[in-house]
Amino acid sequence: MRRPLNSLIQSSAYAFYKVLTTHCHALKLGNLANVYTANKILNAYTRCKELHIARKLFDEIPHRDTVSWNTMIAGFVNCGNLETACKILKNMRRCGFDFDGYSFGSLLKGVASAYRLEVGQQLHSMVIKMGYEENVYAGSALLDMYAKCEKVEDAYTVFEYLPEPNSVSWNALIAGFSKVGDRSTAFWLLHCMEKEGVRAEDGTFAPLLTLLDDIEFYKLTIQVHGKIVKHGLAFDNTVCNAMITSYSECGSIRDARKVFDGAVGMRDLVTWNSMLAAYLVHEEEELGFQLFLDMQRLGFEPDIYTYTSILSACFEKAHKSHGQSLHAEVIKRGLEYLVPISNALIAMYLKSNNTSMGEALKLFESMELKDRVSWNSILTGFSQIGLNEDALKLFGQMRSLMVEIDHYAFSAVLRSCADLATLHLGRQVHVLAIKSGFETNDFVASALIFLYSKCGIIEDARKSFEETPNDSSIAWNSLIFGYAQNGQGSIALDLFFLMRDRKVRLDHITFVAVLTACSHIGLVEEGLNFLKSMESDYGIPPRMEHYACAVDLLGRARGLGEARTLIESMPFKPDAMVWKTLLGACRVCGDIELATQVASHLLELEPEEHCTYVLLSHLYGHLRRWDEKANLTRLMRERGVKKVPGWSWIEIKNQVHAFNAEDQSHPLCKEIYQMLGELMEEITWLDTDTGLDALISDFDVCDAKLLSAGNF
């Protein structure tokens, strides 16, 4: 917020002025010889983060005590300078001062923040040697350190040694088990805490709410909310923010909004950001944009998280102008050089449409600092819009510049190899992924399955699948798709049932794969049953892509009437994908009247998309309706729509050769066209009666020789 931020700056300046005045007054009266007065001033300087002045005062104190040393240790820890804090601890020992619970407590807090487990373990041994393992401050800090470093078993061992654990100890342990995702233990600890009569606080519930992140935990979220109200924490800021996120992730945007509306007067920037994220997760972009305006109107200054969130909602065509306006606002505020915001802008342009790749590249090239996300965004962008050769070049550049290659980069480059059908190069990337330890990652395994499936080597796709833990749906979905697209739909469906029996979590992509398998092997009734049972049996509402698969299924079975009825019964307005699928089915069935109606919908939705014109033109040509075909060609010319030429690739000796129609760019094009000409002449000759007779005669001679040799 603007006002609280200004008041905070003013109060900090006032606090520093006040401590300076007190320091001067103490010097004038000669009170610094009193260690109590000196420690108070020392503590005030550290709270103002004026450590250079505090250090100078510390050196001038004639009679330092343990409190003086502990104050300096805490000051450097709170400013994130763990190394200096450790040095002060060592000097404290050399100067003959003993450590106490506060000394260990402060230093262990710094260790926990820096995730320096090895330093924490060394301090633990000192705590035991000096007999402080049962001290509530040292013990709680040790517990918190192990919990934050995700060593929850060690944290629990420390907890058991505490004679009287307080709420801080319980909360630290609950937070630790929540962090590692151990839901059952975290809630068991809450139960034990309540049985022991220790009062639950905001620090108790906030970590627990992070574990309630799925629709199956909605009822449990309501129960926890009830406990929060019972303990009088319903208006606590931290708890409110966690409640908004939890309700959102459990599928209830309505309850999330109720919590947000009930927090009037207690909202901070995190509250607004939590509600904004909730709207965007639930695809309520318009409400998200309105919230973004409301928060500024009420004096809340957007931060990096706010901008990165709202920019992620601007890739739809309807919101393109919002994205450009936000880009302008980011520039106006001087935030475009912040790496997370630049990355969000790049992602926005990449997602909006294929023509925005130029803007994304400009942003990328203008960034002085690029992180792994920046490189991965451009690499994924190249891969997704079909600029696969550019993706491979960028991957090579990343390796030469020693950019860290992670599972996202491997996944993107493997999919480019799959699209180019460069099996040899894909195998090399596979080896690199193995060396980097990513071959069992779900995303990399999924890309490997896609690569080998696309190249027709389903056995290697299965091997890549078997090498993954098989506990998430990502690899399963890819393998089901692979078998479906390689004409083995029955195996694909067997995999689905196996996936269900092993209780692997199904998602909407699983059903796209299953419906694709049904479509490819003509299981019309089974496919429609899957569509009908998605929500009732599996809790997954059908999306647009599921209806598109069902339309394709009916179209392949020449059930155009049923396909049209299905589209009319959809709970939402059909998009271009559904209409294109129906148009393709019309072409297969030769239904020109329905095709014309469907094409009119498509030309209204996507007047610049060449695919619709091409499909309809082919249909007119197939039915010899030359006037309509000519009218369509004229309409394309008037609208400036051009057919995007198809490309073919072939890999020879680890080199990819690309061709399109009437291409003259290949260095060996003269020899290639000469060979094509010879092949065409041979095909033409074979197509004649003379050529066919000669070929049969050759076979007869060959058979006679084989018979005379006694081979049959």
Side-chain angles (χ1 to χ4, degrees):
M1 290 189 296
R2 292 190 183 96
R3 288 172 194 162
L5 181 61
N6 291 334
S7 63
L8 181 65
I9 292 167
Q10 289 167 8
S11 62
S12 298
Y14 177 72
F16 181 49
Y17 169 76
K18 192 174 178 181
V19 67
L20 278 174
T21 305
T22 305
H23 189 181
C24 292
H25 191 63
L27 282 169
K28 187 176 179 181
L29 296 175
N31 287 344
L32 284 181
N34 182 307
V35 70
Y36 175 77
T37 303
N39 286 344
K40 277 192 73 175
I41 296 170
L42 189 66
N43 184 51
Y45 275 129
T46 59
R47 286 179 179 274
C48 293
K49 299 190 185 300
E50 297 291 340
L51 295 182
H52 60 292
I53 303 176
R55 188 67 180 264
K56 192 175 179 184
L57 173 61
F58 177 77
D59 292 338
E60 292 171 357
I61 295 174
H63 305 292
R64 291 179 294 216
D65 61 5
T66 303
V67 175
S68 314
W69 289 92
N70 286 345
T71 302
M72 289 304 298
I73 290 169
F76 278 100
V77 164
N78 291 334
C79 287
N81 193 338
L82 180 62
E83 303 301 326
T84 304
C86 288
K87 287 177 183 175
I88 292 171
L89 188 79
K90 289 176 183 176
N91 289 337
M92 181 180 179
R93 190 96 182 254
R94 289 194 196 103
C95 293
F97 290 88
D98 289 330
F99 309 147
D100 61 12
Y102 294 103
S103 312
F104 287 118
S106 294
L107 206 55
L108 284 163
K109 177 186 174 184
V111 170
S113 299
Y115 304 105
R116 295 285 298 276
L117 178 62
E118 71 287 351
V119 178
Q121 288 169 330
Q122 291 170 14
L123 286 170
H124 191 176
S125 65
M126 292 172 68
V127 167
I128 292 170
K129 282 180 182 177
M130 298 183 69
Y132 279 99
E133 67 268 30
E134 294 186 2
N135 177 275
V136 67
Y137 297 105
S140 295
L142 261 176
L143 191 159
D144 183 57
M145 183 274 296
Y146 280 123
K148 284 180 177 170
C149 291
E150 299 186 10
K151 292 286 184 180
V152 287
E153 292 81 7
D154 294 334
Y156 189 76
T157 302
V158 172
F159 178 80
E160 288 185 307
Y161 275 94
L162 293 175
E164 292 183 15
N166 57 18
S167 61
V168 175
S169 315
W170 283 98
N171 292 345
L173 196 60
I174 289 171
F177 280 98
S178 299
K179 188 178 180 182
V180 299
D182 191 340
R183 190 178 295 104
S184 57
T185 304
F187 276 93
W188 173 75
L189 285 168
L190 173 66
H191 175 68
C192 294
M193 180 181 180
E194 290 177 330
K195 279 184 72 176
E196 291 290 324
V198 180
R199 181 176 171 77
E201 302 169 344
D202 58 338
T204 314
F205 291 112
L208 288 169
L209 286 165
T210 64
L211 296 169
L212 307 179
D213 56 358
D214 193 85
I215 194 166
E216 64 180 293
F217 304 121
Y218 176 63
K219 288 184 179 178
L220 182 55
T221 305
I222 294 173
Q223 290 172 357
V224 172
H225 193 176
K227 280 184 178 289
I228 288 166
V229 173
K230 185 180 177 182
H231 283 83
L233 298 169
F235 300 108
D236 180 89
N237 196 255
T238 307
V239 175
C240 278
N241 298 344
M243 282 298 311
I244 290 168
T245 303
S246 184
Y247 272 128
S248 168
E249 292 183 347
C250 289
S252 179
I253 190 70
R254 183 168 161 270
D255 287 321
R257 181 73 205 206
K258 275 186 180 178
V259 174
F260 178 79
D261 290 341
V264 174
M266 279 82 63
R267 296 174 190 156
D268 62 3
L269 188 56
V270 179
T271 316
W272 287 91
N273 285 344
S274 299
M275 194 64 228
L276 176 62
Y279 276 139
L280 300 183
V281 164
H282 287 265
E283 298 179 356
E284 298 281 0
E285 287 85 3
E286 288 301 331
L287 292 173
F289 289 125
Q290 187 57 52
L291 191 83
F292 178 73
L293 297 173
D294 289 344
M295 67 184 287
Q296 293 178 83
R297 182 173 53 81
L298 293 171
F300 288 85
E301 186 91 18
D303 63 0
I304 291 177
Y305 184 85
T306 318
Y307 280 116
T308 53
S309 295
I310 198 68
L311 283 167
S312 70
C314 296
F315 63 88
E316 292 285 352
K317 194 173 182 180
H319 306 314
K320 188 177 178 182
S321 60
H322 292 329
Q324 291 168 336
S325 300
L326 283 165
H327 192 174
E329 185 177 346
V330 162
I331 293 170
K332 185 179 176 182
R333 291 177 183 249
L335 301 172
E336 75 273 23
Y337 297 112
L338 293 173
V339 173
I341 289 181
S342 290
N343 289 343
L345 284 166
I346 288 170
M348 179 195 76
Y349 282 120
L350 288 174
K351 287 178 182 176
S352 58
N353 55 58
N354 294 355
T355 60
S356 298
M357 188 73 204
E359 285 91 337
L361 274 171
K362 277 182 191 174
L363 268 167
F364 177 75
E365 288 163 0
S366 69
M367 292 172 70
E368 292 182 15
L369 293 172
K370 299 179 181 75
D371 64 4
R372 194 171 56 192
V373 177
S374 319
W375 286 93
N376 286 347
S377 297
I378 295 294
L379 180 65
T380 305
F382 278 142
S383 180
Q384 287 177 343
I385 67 172
L387 296 174
N388 297 300
E389 291 179 343
D390 292 311
L392 297 180
K393 287 175 186 174
L394 188 74
F395 184 74
Q397 190 181 351
M398 288 172 70
R399 292 199 67 207
S400 64
L401 292 173
M402 305 298 286
V403 178
E404 185 181 352
I405 308 294
D406 63 9
H407 56 286
Y408 294 111
F410 277 119
S411 177
V413 78
L414 282 165
R415 288 188 179 271
S416 285
C417 290
D419 287 339
L420 291 170
T422 53
L423 179 60
H424 187 69
L425 184 57
R427 288 192 188 280
Q428 290 180 342
V429 177
H430 188 174
V431 170
L432 188 61
I434 291 170
K435 286 182 178 178
S436 305
F438 285 113
E439 77 279 10
T440 59
N441 176 271
D442 284 330
F443 294 100
V444 177
S446 174
L448 284 166
I449 292 165
F450 181 70
L451 167 72
Y452 291 125
S453 300
K454 193 87 180 279
C455 294
I457 311 173
I458 197 69
E459 298 80 11
D460 284 357
R462 187 66 182 247
K463 280 180 189 173
S464 294
F465 172 78
E466 299 294 350
E467 287 169 1
T468 64
N470 294 341
D471 54 1
S472 80
S473 61
I474 298 169
W476 284 89
N477 293 345
S478 295
L479 192 63
I480 293 170
F481 267 121
Y483 275 110
Q485 290 165 351
N486 277 272
Q488 300 184 46
S490 299
I491 298 177
L493 293 179
D494 288 343
L495 274 168
F496 167 76
F497 293 120
L498 182 62
M499 180 182 182
R500 186 191 62 184
D501 294 343
R502 290 190 182 177
K503 301 195 183 311
V504 179
R505 185 177 175 182
L506 308 175
D507 58 23
H508 68 281
I509 298 171
T510 312
F511 284 95
V512 173
V514 167
L515 289 166
T516 301
C518 291
S519 182
H520 282 213
I521 57 176
L523 296 176
V524 177
E525 191 175 341
E526 290 84 346
L528 293 176
N529 285 336
F530 276 122
L531 182 70
K532 289 173 187 173
S533 64
M534 277 178 62
E535 188 163 14
S536 58
D537 293 356
Y538 303 100
I540 301 170
R543 301 189 184 188
M544 196 75 74
E545 53 265 38
H546 300 114
Y547 283 100
C549 287
V551 170
D552 180 62
L553 173 72
L554 291 165
R556 286 172 184 255
R558 297 184 175 272
L560 283 181
E562 294 93 327
R564 188 170 186 177
T565 303
L566 180 66
I567 291 172
E568 289 169 354
S569 69
M570 283 166 52
F572 30 67
K573 194 175 178 181
D575 68 356
M577 174 177 57
V578 173
W579 289 121
K580 280 178 186 174
T581 308
L582 185 59
L583 183 59
C586 291
R587 182 189 174 195
V588 171
C589 299
D591 190 332
I592 188 64
E593 283 72 23
L594 182 56
T596 305
Q597 293 173 30
V598 173
S600 66
H601 287 296
L602 275 169
L603 294 176
E604 187 180 333
L605 287 170
E606 296 180 340
E608 297 174 2
E609 177 56 56
H610 76 282
C611 294
T612 307
Y613 299 92
V614 172
L615 273 170
L616 196 57
S617 177
H618 285 171
L619 188 54
Y620 284 139
H622 180 70
L623 297 173
R624 299 179 181 277
R625 297 175 68 159
W626 308 118
D627 290 341
E628 287 94 333
K629 183 177 171 70
N631 289 336
L632 197 64
T633 304
R634 185 167 56 254
L635 183 63
M636 286 180 70
R637 191 163 51 247
E638 288 171 359
R639 292 183 175 180
V641 179
K642 292 183 179 179
K643 180 185 174 183
V644 177
W647 285 84
S648 299
W649 292 270
I650 186 170
E651 183 185 9
I652 301 171
K653 294 181 180 178
N654 202 26
Q655 185 177 357
V656 177
H657 300 267
F659 305 95
N660 70 359
E662 300 180 5
D663 186 20
Q664 301 284 332
S665 61
H666 197 279
L668 297 173
C669 72
K670 191 173 180 181
E671 291 88 339
I672 291 167
Y673 277 106
Q674 184 179 343
M675 178 57 70
L676 280 172
E678 291 173 7
L679 288 169
M680 287 303 297
E681 285 177 11
E682 194 171 328
I683 291 167
T684 305
W685 176 73
L686 286 171
D687 201 33
T688 63
D689 292 340
T690 307
L692 187 60
D693 290 342
L695 186 64
I696 292 169
S697 176
D698 286 344
F699 277 122
D700 289 342
V701 170
C702 193
D703 288 346
K705 287 180 178 178
L706 288 168
L707 285 167
S708 63
N711 290 319
F712 292 96

